[in-house]
Amino acid sequence: MDVRSKNHVRVSGLAGGPVVVLAHGFGCDQNMWRLVVPELERHFTVVLFDHVGAGNSDLSAWSRERYSTLNGYIDDLLELCRELALGPVVFVGHSVSAMMGALAAVREPEAFAGLVLLAPSPCFIDDPDTGYRGGFSAEDIDELLESLDANYLGWSGAMAPVIMGNPERPELGEELTSSFCRTDPEIARVFARVTFLSDNRADLANVTVPTLVAQCSSDAIAPPEVGAFVHAQIAGSQLVTLNATGHCPQLAAPEETAAAIVAFAGASR
């Protein structure tokens, strides 16, 4: 199947410019990047796509077997880079997609000029034995997944505003709720387990491409300690703490988010 149709790939911006690939997180699609794209298009060739199972991707390409781990998504990402043949790209991954990008760069570092890990988390679950703080106890995650299984639409309405943060701007939480609710519940259940149960802490030390870790100043899903951990594990990485709050700075603070991407991606040429 052609990757452009499978992943609803769209290419825009500066023809012949450095390439920036934007990857969305759980329950979202490429529309979540719309507020940062105009600024990025001034400097780069911009590639948008939907993970299989999200947005306008080809849902017939989704299978539980392929997408029950991050590997299926990593395979898709590397296939996209090869088929578009745009040369080494700067990959911007939000939330769970940050780890997809990191793992893809470990597997094929030559495909990447750099990584921007936006609100990343290699493991959402606290590990008291090592002192790692992921933001959730194992019991928290079990309850979260049980609630999602029991009533996905109800879970979406309750969790999306928490993930988004910015309670003084309820329209942001409403947008994320709507995005969650457009996702097929079966696909969402599988992707949620991939997102919240994966532990890629040990893989970070193998990342060798230039990396920017961009965390938010306050984030209920990926607290600042997580960004600091990712930065410490990836040799030579840069860490920036955005003034933005919540887990989706590309919506809550698009100008600041775009500026961080432009500054890093331009320097990675």
Side-chain angles (χ1 to χ4, degrees):
M1 184 182 300
D2 174 67
V3 69
R4 289 179 181 265
S5 56
K6 183 176 79 171
N7 291 104
H8 188 55
V9 176
R10 294 191 297 160
V11 181
S12 62
L14 184 63
V19 181
V20 171
V21 177
L22 304 175
H24 63 83
F26 169 81
C28 302
D29 58 30
Q30 61 183 261
N31 189 55
M32 300 295 280
W33 295 107
R34 69 186 185 281
L35 300 180
V36 304
V37 165
E39 176 61 20
L40 298 183
E41 287 177 333
R42 296 176 56 231
H43 307 275
F44 311 110
T45 296
V46 178
V47 178
L48 290 163
F49 72 99
D50 294 329
H51 289 306
V52 170
N56 290 308
S57 66
D58 188 335
L59 296 185
S60 70
W62 187 86
S63 72
R64 180 182 295 269
E65 179 181 10
R66 180 177 176 87
Y67 295 105
S68 61
T69 71
L70 288 176
N71 288 327
Y73 297 98
I74 295 165
D75 290 343
D76 285 354
L77 171 58
L78 293 172
E79 178 187 3
L80 183 153
C81 291
R82 285 192 293 268
E83 288 205 21
L84 294 182
L86 294 172
V89 306
V90 173
F91 176 84
V92 183
H94 174 235
S95 193
V96 65
S97 283
M99 288 304 103
M100 296 176 193
L103 294 171
V106 169
R107 194 188 300 178
E108 294 187 19
E110 66 279 3
F112 299 91
L115 298 173
V116 178
L117 310 182
L118 184 63
S121 178
C123 179
F124 286 94
I125 299 175
D126 299 336
D127 184 354
D129 291 340
T130 64
Y132 173 81
R133 179 172 180 245
F136 298 85
S137 68
E139 293 76 16
D140 290 335
I141 295 296
D142 286 343
E143 290 178 7
L144 181 152
L145 294 174
E146 288 172 5
S147 175
L148 186 152
D149 287 344
N151 181 358
Y152 176 64
L153 294 181
W155 178 89
S156 298
M159 277 299 296
V162 174
I163 293 169
M164 180 59 71
N166 296 275
E168 75 284 359
R169 299 165 66 189
E171 69 277 6
L172 295 178
E174 291 166 5
E175 176 170 343
L176 191 59
T177 300
S178 295
S179 180
F180 281 8
C181 292
R182 288 195 299 271
T183 304
D184 178 273
E186 179 187 359
I187 293 173
R189 291 182 185 106
V190 175
F191 197 13
R193 281 166 170 76
V194 174
T195 298
F196 291 109
L197 297 178
S198 293
D199 184 351
N200 300 109
R201 288 175 291 169
D203 299 298
L204 296 174
N206 298 319
V207 176
T208 58
V209 305
T211 301
L212 173 68
V213 180
Q215 65 181 14
C216 294
S217 59
S218 175
D219 183 346
I221 303 301
E225 295 94 330
V226 175
F229 177 87
V230 174
H231 169 52
Q233 297 301 306
I234 300 179
S237 64
Q238 303 173 41
L239 174 66
V240 61
T241 299
L242 304 173
N243 290 324
T245 60
H247 191 58
C248 301
Q250 67 271 55
L251 282 182
E255 297 87 357
E256 184 185 24
T257 303
I261 296 170
V262 168
F264 175 78
S268 297
R269 296 173 64 174

mmCIF file with all atom_site columns, all heavy atoms in Angstrom, residues 37-57:
data_model
loop_
_atom_site.group_PDB
_atom_site.id
_atom_site.type_symbol
_atom_site.label_atom_id
_atom_site.label_alt_id
_atom_site.label_comp_id
_atom_site.label_asym_id
_atom_site.label_entity_id
_atom_site.label_seq_id
_atom_site.pdbx_PDB_ins_code
_atom_site.Cartn_x
_atom_site.Cartn_y
_atom_site.Cartn_z
_atom_site.occupancy
_atom_site.B_iso_or_equiv
_atom_site.pdbx_formal_charge
_atom_site.auth_seq_id
_atom_site.auth_comp_id
_atom_site.auth_asym_id
_atom_site.auth_atom_id
_atom_site.pdbx_PDB_model_num
ATOM 1   N N   . VAL A 1 37 ? 2.211   25.017 11.757 1.00 0.00 ? 37 VAL A N   1
ATOM 2   C CA  . VAL A 1 37 ? 2.634   24.762 10.380 1.00 0.00 ? 37 VAL A CA  1
ATOM 3   C C   . VAL A 1 37 ? 2.940   26.034 9.590  1.00 0.00 ? 37 VAL A C   1
ATOM 4   O O   . VAL A 1 37 ? 3.954   26.093 8.881  1.00 0.00 ? 37 VAL A O   1
ATOM 5   C CB  . VAL A 1 37 ? 1.596   23.878 9.651  1.00 0.00 ? 37 VAL A CB  1
ATOM 6   C CG1 . VAL A 1 37 ? 1.803   23.898 8.138  1.00 0.00 ? 37 VAL A CG1 1
ATOM 7   C CG2 . VAL A 1 37 ? 1.676   22.449 10.166 1.00 0.00 ? 37 VAL A CG2 1
ATOM 8   N N   . PRO A 1 38 ? 2.103   27.083 9.645  1.00 0.00 ? 38 PRO A N   1
ATOM 9   C CA  . PRO A 1 38 ? 2.408   28.266 8.823  1.00 0.00 ? 38 PRO A CA  1
ATOM 10  C C   . PRO A 1 38 ? 3.796   28.848 9.078  1.00 0.00 ? 38 PRO A C   1
ATOM 11  O O   . PRO A 1 38 ? 4.486   29.249 8.129  1.00 0.00 ? 38 PRO A O   1
ATOM 12  C CB  . PRO A 1 38 ? 1.301   29.250 9.213  1.00 0.00 ? 38 PRO A CB  1
ATOM 13  C CG  . PRO A 1 38 ? 0.155   28.376 9.622  1.00 0.00 ? 38 PRO A CG  1
ATOM 14  C CD  . PRO A 1 38 ? 0.798   27.218 10.327 1.00 0.00 ? 38 PRO A CD  1
ATOM 15  N N   . GLU A 1 39 ? 4.229   28.894 10.325 1.00 0.00 ? 39 GLU A N   1
ATOM 16  C CA  . GLU A 1 39 ? 5.566   29.407 10.613 1.00 0.00 ? 39 GLU A CA  1
ATOM 17  C C   . GLU A 1 39 ? 6.635   28.442 10.110 1.00 0.00 ? 39 GLU A C   1
ATOM 18  O O   . GLU A 1 39 ? 7.651   28.862 9.536  1.00 0.00 ? 39 GLU A O   1
ATOM 19  C CB  . GLU A 1 39 ? 5.730   29.631 12.118 1.00 0.00 ? 39 GLU A CB  1
ATOM 20  C CG  . GLU A 1 39 ? 7.119   30.073 12.550 1.00 0.00 ? 39 GLU A CG  1
ATOM 21  C CD  . GLU A 1 39 ? 7.549   31.407 11.938 1.00 0.00 ? 39 GLU A CD  1
ATOM 22  O OE1 . GLU A 1 39 ? 6.688   32.194 11.483 1.00 0.00 ? 39 GLU A OE1 1
ATOM 23  O OE2 . GLU A 1 39 ? 8.773   31.666 11.914 1.00 0.00 ? 39 GLU A OE2 1
ATOM 24  N N   . LEU A 1 40 ? 6.430   27.144 10.282 1.00 0.00 ? 40 LEU A N   1
ATOM 25  C CA  . LEU A 1 40 ? 7.417   26.163 9.822  1.00 0.00 ? 40 LEU A CA  1
ATOM 26  C C   . LEU A 1 40 ? 7.539   26.179 8.306  1.00 0.00 ? 40 LEU A C   1
ATOM 27  O O   . LEU A 1 40 ? 8.643   25.999 7.764  1.00 0.00 ? 40 LEU A O   1
ATOM 28  C CB  . LEU A 1 40 ? 7.045   24.767 10.312 1.00 0.00 ? 40 LEU A CB  1
ATOM 29  C CG  . LEU A 1 40 ? 6.993   24.549 11.827 1.00 0.00 ? 40 LEU A CG  1
ATOM 30  C CD1 . LEU A 1 40 ? 6.689   23.093 12.144 1.00 0.00 ? 40 LEU A CD1 1
ATOM 31  C CD2 . LEU A 1 40 ? 8.293   24.984 12.492 1.00 0.00 ? 40 LEU A CD2 1
ATOM 32  N N   . GLU A 1 41 ? 6.424   26.398 7.610  1.00 0.00 ? 41 GLU A N   1
ATOM 33  C CA  . GLU A 1 41 ? 6.446   26.389 6.144  1.00 0.00 ? 41 GLU A CA  1
ATOM 34  C C   . GLU A 1 41 ? 7.311   27.505 5.574  1.00 0.00 ? 41 GLU A C   1
ATOM 35  O O   . GLU A 1 41 ? 7.764   27.413 4.434  1.00 0.00 ? 41 GLU A O   1
ATOM 36  C CB  . GLU A 1 41 ? 5.023   26.525 5.600  1.00 0.00 ? 41 GLU A CB  1
ATOM 37  C CG  . GLU A 1 41 ? 4.183   25.271 5.760  1.00 0.00 ? 41 GLU A CG  1
ATOM 38  C CD  . GLU A 1 41 ? 2.764   25.457 5.292  1.00 0.00 ? 41 GLU A CD  1
ATOM 39  O OE1 . GLU A 1 41 ? 2.264   26.610 5.320  1.00 0.00 ? 41 GLU A OE1 1
ATOM 40  O OE2 . GLU A 1 41 ? 2.136   24.451 4.893  1.00 0.00 ? 41 GLU A OE2 1
ATOM 41  N N   . ARG A 1 42 ? 7.552   28.554 6.335  1.00 0.00 ? 42 ARG A N   1
ATOM 42  C CA  . ARG A 1 42 ? 8.397   29.656 5.872  1.00 0.00 ? 42 ARG A CA  1
ATOM 43  C C   . ARG A 1 42 ? 9.862   29.237 5.781  1.00 0.00 ? 42 ARG A C   1
ATOM 44  O O   . ARG A 1 42 ? 10.653  29.850 5.045  1.00 0.00 ? 42 ARG A O   1
ATOM 45  C CB  . ARG A 1 42 ? 8.267   30.861 6.797  1.00 0.00 ? 42 ARG A CB  1
ATOM 46  C CG  . ARG A 1 42 ? 6.880   31.474 6.839  1.00 0.00 ? 42 ARG A CG  1
ATOM 47  C CD  . ARG A 1 42 ? 6.805   32.604 7.856  1.00 0.00 ? 42 ARG A CD  1
ATOM 48  N NE  . ARG A 1 42 ? 7.815   33.616 7.570  1.00 0.00 ? 42 ARG A NE  1
ATOM 49  C CZ  . ARG A 1 42 ? 8.686   34.093 8.457  1.00 0.00 ? 42 ARG A CZ  1
ATOM 50  N NH1 . ARG A 1 42 ? 8.680   33.642 9.693  1.00 0.00 ? 42 ARG A NH1 1
ATOM 51  N NH2 . ARG A 1 42 ? 9.563   35.016 8.113  1.00 0.00 ? 42 ARG A NH2 1
ATOM 52  N N   . HIS A 1 43 ? 10.239  28.200 6.527  1.00 0.00 ? 43 HIS A N   1
ATOM 53  C CA  . HIS A 1 43 ? 11.649  27.820 6.642  1.00 0.00 ? 43 HIS A CA  1
ATOM 54  C C   . HIS A 1 43 ? 11.960  26.429 6.105  1.00 0.00 ? 43 HIS A C   1
ATOM 55  O O   . HIS A 1 43 ? 13.111  26.159 5.757  1.00 0.00 ? 43 HIS A O   1
ATOM 56  C CB  . HIS A 1 43 ? 12.069  27.854 8.117  1.00 0.00 ? 43 HIS A CB  1
ATOM 57  C CG  . HIS A 1 43 ? 11.779  29.144 8.808  1.00 0.00 ? 43 HIS A CG  1
ATOM 58  N ND1 . HIS A 1 43 ? 12.635  30.225 8.769  1.00 0.00 ? 43 HIS A ND1 1
ATOM 59  C CD2 . HIS A 1 43 ? 10.707  29.533 9.554  1.00 0.00 ? 43 HIS A CD2 1
ATOM 60  C CE1 . HIS A 1 43 ? 12.118  31.224 9.463  1.00 0.00 ? 43 HIS A CE1 1
ATOM 61  N NE2 . HIS A 1 43 ? 10.948  30.829 9.961  1.00 0.00 ? 43 HIS A NE2 1
ATOM 62  N N   . PHE A 1 44 ? 10.952  25.549 6.068  1.00 0.00 ? 44 PHE A N   1
ATOM 63  C CA  . PHE A 1 44 ? 11.207  24.130 5.823  1.00 0.00 ? 44 PHE A CA  1
ATOM 64  C C   . PHE A 1 44 ? 10.191  23.525 4.851  1.00 0.00 ? 44 PHE A C   1
ATOM 65  O O   . PHE A 1 44 ? 9.098   24.061 4.665  1.00 0.00 ? 44 PHE A O   1
ATOM 66  C CB  . PHE A 1 44 ? 11.118  23.333 7.137  1.00 0.00 ? 44 PHE A CB  1
ATOM 67  C CG  . PHE A 1 44 ? 11.895  23.915 8.269  1.00 0.00 ? 44 PHE A CG  1
ATOM 68  C CD1 . PHE A 1 44 ? 11.243  24.496 9.348  1.00 0.00 ? 44 PHE A CD1 1
ATOM 69  C CD2 . PHE A 1 44 ? 13.285  23.893 8.265  1.00 0.00 ? 44 PHE A CD2 1
ATOM 70  C CE1 . PHE A 1 44 ? 11.965  25.048 10.410 1.00 0.00 ? 44 PHE A CE1 1
ATOM 71  C CE2 . PHE A 1 44 ? 14.010  24.432 9.324  1.00 0.00 ? 44 PHE A CE2 1
ATOM 72  C CZ  . PHE A 1 44 ? 13.347  25.009 10.392 1.00 0.00 ? 44 PHE A CZ  1
ATOM 73  N N   . THR A 1 45 ? 10.573  22.379 4.288  1.00 0.00 ? 45 THR A N   1
ATOM 74  C CA  . THR A 1 45 ? 9.583   21.472 3.718  1.00 0.00 ? 45 THR A CA  1
ATOM 75  C C   . THR A 1 45 ? 8.932   20.744 4.888  1.00 0.00 ? 45 THR A C   1
ATOM 76  O O   . THR A 1 45 ? 9.632   20.130 5.703  1.00 0.00 ? 45 THR A O   1
ATOM 77  C CB  . THR A 1 45 ? 10.242  20.450 2.772  1.00 0.00 ? 45 THR A CB  1
ATOM 78  O OG1 . THR A 1 45 ? 10.821  21.138 1.666  1.00 0.00 ? 45 THR A OG1 1
ATOM 79  C CG2 . THR A 1 45 ? 9.219   19.448 2.260  1.00 0.00 ? 45 THR A CG2 1
ATOM 80  N N   . VAL A 1 46 ? 7.622   20.809 4.986  1.00 0.00 ? 46 VAL A N   1
ATOM 81  C CA  . VAL A 1 46 ? 6.901   20.262 6.142  1.00 0.00 ? 46 VAL A CA  1
ATOM 82  C C   . VAL A 1 46 ? 6.121   19.022 5.717  1.00 0.00 ? 46 VAL A C   1
ATOM 83  O O   . VAL A 1 46 ? 5.363   19.063 4.739  1.00 0.00 ? 46 VAL A O   1
ATOM 84  C CB  . VAL A 1 46 ? 5.941   21.312 6.742  1.00 0.00 ? 46 VAL A CB  1
ATOM 85  C CG1 . VAL A 1 46 ? 5.161   20.718 7.906  1.00 0.00 ? 46 VAL A CG1 1
ATOM 86  C CG2 . VAL A 1 46 ? 6.716   22.546 7.195  1.00 0.00 ? 46 VAL A CG2 1
ATOM 87  N N   . VAL A 1 47 ? 6.323   17.939 6.436  1.00 0.00 ? 47 VAL A N   1
ATOM 88  C CA  . VAL A 1 47 ? 5.617   16.683 6.174  1.00 0.00 ? 47 VAL A CA  1
ATOM 89  C C   . VAL A 1 47 ? 4.676   16.395 7.333  1.00 0.00 ? 47 VAL A C   1
ATOM 90  O O   . VAL A 1 47 ? 5.105   16.291 8.484  1.00 0.00 ? 47 VAL A O   1
ATOM 91  C CB  . VAL A 1 47 ? 6.600   15.514 5.991  1.00 0.00 ? 47 VAL A CB  1
ATOM 92  C CG1 . VAL A 1 47 ? 5.836   14.205 5.756  1.00 0.00 ? 47 VAL A CG1 1
ATOM 93  C CG2 . VAL A 1 47 ? 7.567   15.784 4.848  1.00 0.00 ? 47 VAL A CG2 1
ATOM 94  N N   . LEU A 1 48 ? 3.400   16.275 7.018  1.00 0.00 ? 48 LEU A N   1
ATOM 95  C CA  . LEU A 1 48 ? 2.377   15.893 7.991  1.00 0.00 ? 48 LEU A CA  1
ATOM 96  C C   . LEU A 1 48 ? 1.849   14.513 7.635  1.00 0.00 ? 48 LEU A C   1
ATOM 97  O O   . LEU A 1 48 ? 1.751   14.164 6.446  1.00 0.00 ? 48 LEU A O   1
ATOM 98  C CB  . LEU A 1 48 ? 1.223   16.890 7.972  1.00 0.00 ? 48 LEU A CB  1
ATOM 99  C CG  . LEU A 1 48 ? 1.499   18.291 8.513  1.00 0.00 ? 48 LEU A CG  1
ATOM 100 C CD1 . LEU A 1 48 ? 0.421   19.259 8.054  1.00 0.00 ? 48 LEU A CD1 1
ATOM 101 C CD2 . LEU A 1 48 ? 1.570   18.271 10.030 1.00 0.00 ? 48 LEU A CD2 1
ATOM 102 N N   . PHE A 1 49 ? 1.490   13.733 8.642  1.00 0.00 ? 49 PHE A N   1
ATOM 103 C CA  . PHE A 1 49 ? 0.893   12.425 8.375  1.00 0.00 ? 49 PHE A CA  1
ATOM 104 C C   . PHE A 1 49 ? 0.066   11.998 9.580  1.00 0.00 ? 49 PHE A C   1
ATOM 105 O O   . PHE A 1 49 ? 0.207   12.533 10.675 1.00 0.00 ? 49 PHE A O   1
ATOM 106 C CB  . PHE A 1 49 ? 1.966   11.380 8.060  1.00 0.00 ? 49 PHE A CB  1
ATOM 107 C CG  . PHE A 1 49 ? 2.791   10.944 9.252  1.00 0.00 ? 49 PHE A CG  1
ATOM 108 C CD1 . PHE A 1 49 ? 2.509   9.758  9.919  1.00 0.00 ? 49 PHE A CD1 1
ATOM 109 C CD2 . PHE A 1 49 ? 3.851   11.727 9.707  1.00 0.00 ? 49 PHE A CD2 1
ATOM 110 C CE1 . PHE A 1 49 ? 3.257   9.354  11.014 1.00 0.00 ? 49 PHE A CE1 1
ATOM 111 C CE2 . PHE A 1 49 ? 4.611   11.336 10.807 1.00 0.00 ? 49 PHE A CE2 1
ATOM 112 C CZ  . PHE A 1 49 ? 4.314   10.147 11.451 1.00 0.00 ? 49 PHE A CZ  1
ATOM 113 N N   . ASP A 1 50 ? -0.812  11.038 9.339  1.00 0.00 ? 50 ASP A N   1
ATOM 114 C CA  . ASP A 1 50 ? -1.608  10.436 10.411 1.00 0.00 ? 50 ASP A CA  1
ATOM 115 C C   . ASP A 1 50 ? -1.100  9.026  10.671 1.00 0.00 ? 50 ASP A C   1
ATOM 116 O O   . ASP A 1 50 ? -0.896  8.249  9.722  1.00 0.00 ? 50 ASP A O   1
ATOM 117 C CB  . ASP A 1 50 ? -3.091  10.343 10.010 1.00 0.00 ? 50 ASP A CB  1
ATOM 118 C CG  . ASP A 1 50 ? -3.744  11.707 9.863  1.00 0.00 ? 50 ASP A CG  1
ATOM 119 O OD1 . ASP A 1 50 ? -3.336  12.642 10.568 1.00 0.00 ? 50 ASP A OD1 1
ATOM 120 O OD2 . ASP A 1 50 ? -4.674  11.824 9.033  1.00 0.00 ? 50 ASP A OD2 1
ATOM 121 N N   . HIS A 1 51 ? -0.898  8.690  11.921 1.00 0.00 ? 51 HIS A N   1
ATOM 122 C CA  . HIS A 1 51 ? -0.601  7.295  12.240 1.00 0.00 ? 51 HIS A CA  1
ATOM 123 C C   . HIS A 1 51 ? -1.769  6.425  11.777 1.00 0.00 ? 51 HIS A C   1
ATOM 124 O O   . HIS A 1 51 ? -2.936  6.849  11.816 1.00 0.00 ? 51 HIS A O   1
ATOM 125 C CB  . HIS A 1 51 ? -0.414  7.110  13.747 1.00 0.00 ? 51 HIS A CB  1
ATOM 126 C CG  . HIS A 1 51 ? 0.852   7.710  14.280 1.00 0.00 ? 51 HIS A CG  1
ATOM 127 N ND1 . HIS A 1 51 ? 2.096   7.418  13.766 1.00 0.00 ? 51 HIS A ND1 1
ATOM 128 C CD2 . HIS A 1 51 ? 1.068   8.593  15.289 1.00 0.00 ? 51 HIS A CD2 1
ATOM 129 C CE1 . HIS A 1 51 ? 3.016   8.077  14.440 1.00 0.00 ? 51 HIS A CE1 1
ATOM 130 N NE2 . HIS A 1 51 ? 2.420   8.802  15.356 1.00 0.00 ? 51 HIS A NE2 1
ATOM 131 N N   . VAL A 1 52 ? -1.458  5.212  11.353 1.00 0.00 ? 52 VAL A N   1
ATOM 132 C CA  . VAL A 1 52 ? -2.514  4.290  10.945 1.00 0.00 ? 52 VAL A CA  1
ATOM 133 C C   . VAL A 1 52 ? -3.468  4.083  12.122 1.00 0.00 ? 52 VAL A C   1
ATOM 134 O O   . VAL A 1 52 ? -3.046  3.804  13.246 1.00 0.00 ? 52 VAL A O   1
ATOM 135 C CB  . VAL A 1 52 ? -1.920  2.953  10.472 1.00 0.00 ? 52 VAL A CB  1
ATOM 136 C CG1 . VAL A 1 52 ? -3.031  1.917  10.283 1.00 0.00 ? 52 VAL A CG1 1
ATOM 137 C CG2 . VAL A 1 52 ? -1.149  3.149  9.173  1.00 0.00 ? 52 VAL A CG2 1
ATOM 138 N N   . GLY A 1 53 ? -4.755  4.274  11.841 1.00 0.00 ? 53 GLY A N   1
ATOM 139 C CA  . GLY A 1 53 ? -5.777  4.205  12.882 1.00 0.00 ? 53 GLY A CA  1
ATOM 140 C C   . GLY A 1 53 ? -6.249  5.562  13.333 1.00 0.00 ? 53 GLY A C   1
ATOM 141 O O   . GLY A 1 53 ? -7.213  5.660  14.089 1.00 0.00 ? 53 GLY A O   1
ATOM 142 N N   . ALA A 1 54 ? -5.586  6.619  12.869 1.00 0.00 ? 54 ALA A N   1
ATOM 143 C CA  . ALA A 1 54 ? -5.927  7.982  13.289 1.00 0.00 ? 54 ALA A CA  1
ATOM 144 C C   . ALA A 1 54 ? -6.301  8.830  12.088 1.00 0.00 ? 54 ALA A C   1
ATOM 145 O O   . ALA A 1 54 ? -5.881  8.564  10.954 1.00 0.00 ? 54 ALA A O   1
ATOM 146 C CB  . ALA A 1 54 ? -4.756  8.622  14.024 1.00 0.00 ? 54 ALA A CB  1
ATOM 147 N N   . GLY A 1 55 ? -7.089  9.876  12.343 1.00 0.00 ? 55 GLY A N   1
ATOM 148 C CA  . GLY A 1 55 ? -7.379  10.878 11.319 1.00 0.00 ? 55 GLY A CA  1
ATOM 149 C C   . GLY A 1 55 ? -7.901  10.285 10.021 1.00 0.00 ? 55 GLY A C   1
ATOM 150 O O   . GLY A 1 55 ? -8.812  9.454  10.021 1.00 0.00 ? 55 GLY A O   1
ATOM 151 N N   . ASN A 1 56 ? -7.279  10.698 8.933  1.00 0.00 ? 56 ASN A N   1
ATOM 152 C CA  . ASN A 1 56 ? -7.684  10.240 7.601  1.00 0.00 ? 56 ASN A CA  1
ATOM 153 C C   . ASN A 1 56 ? -6.771  9.151  7.062  1.00 0.00 ? 56 ASN A C   1
ATOM 154 O O   . ASN A 1 56 ? -6.666  8.974  5.839  1.00 0.00 ? 56 ASN A O   1
ATOM 155 C CB  . ASN A 1 56 ? -7.731  11.417 6.634  1.00 0.00 ? 56 ASN A CB  1
ATOM 156 C CG  . ASN A 1 56 ? -8.877  12.357 6.930  1.00 0.00 ? 56 ASN A CG  1
ATOM 157 O OD1 . ASN A 1 56 ? -10.027 11.941 7.053  1.00 0.00 ? 56 ASN A OD1 1
ATOM 158 N ND2 . ASN A 1 56 ? -8.574  13.644 7.065  1.00 0.00 ? 56 ASN A ND2 1
ATOM 159 N N   . SER A 1 57 ? -6.093  8.440  7.953  1.00 0.00 ? 57 SER A N   1
ATOM 160 C CA  . SER A 1 57 ? -5.296  7.296  7.518  1.00 0.00 ? 57 SER A CA  1
ATOM 161 C C   . SER A 1 57 ? -6.216  6.206  6.980  1.00 0.00 ? 57 SER A C   1
ATOM 162 O O   . SER A 1 57 ? -7.435  6.237  7.186  1.00 0.00 ? 57 SER A O   1
ATOM 163 C CB  . SER A 1 57 ? -4.481  6.734  8.685  1.00 0.00 ? 57 SER A CB  1
ATOM 164 O OG  . SER A 1 57 ? -5.345  6.178  9.674  1.00 0.00 ? 57 SER A OG  1
#
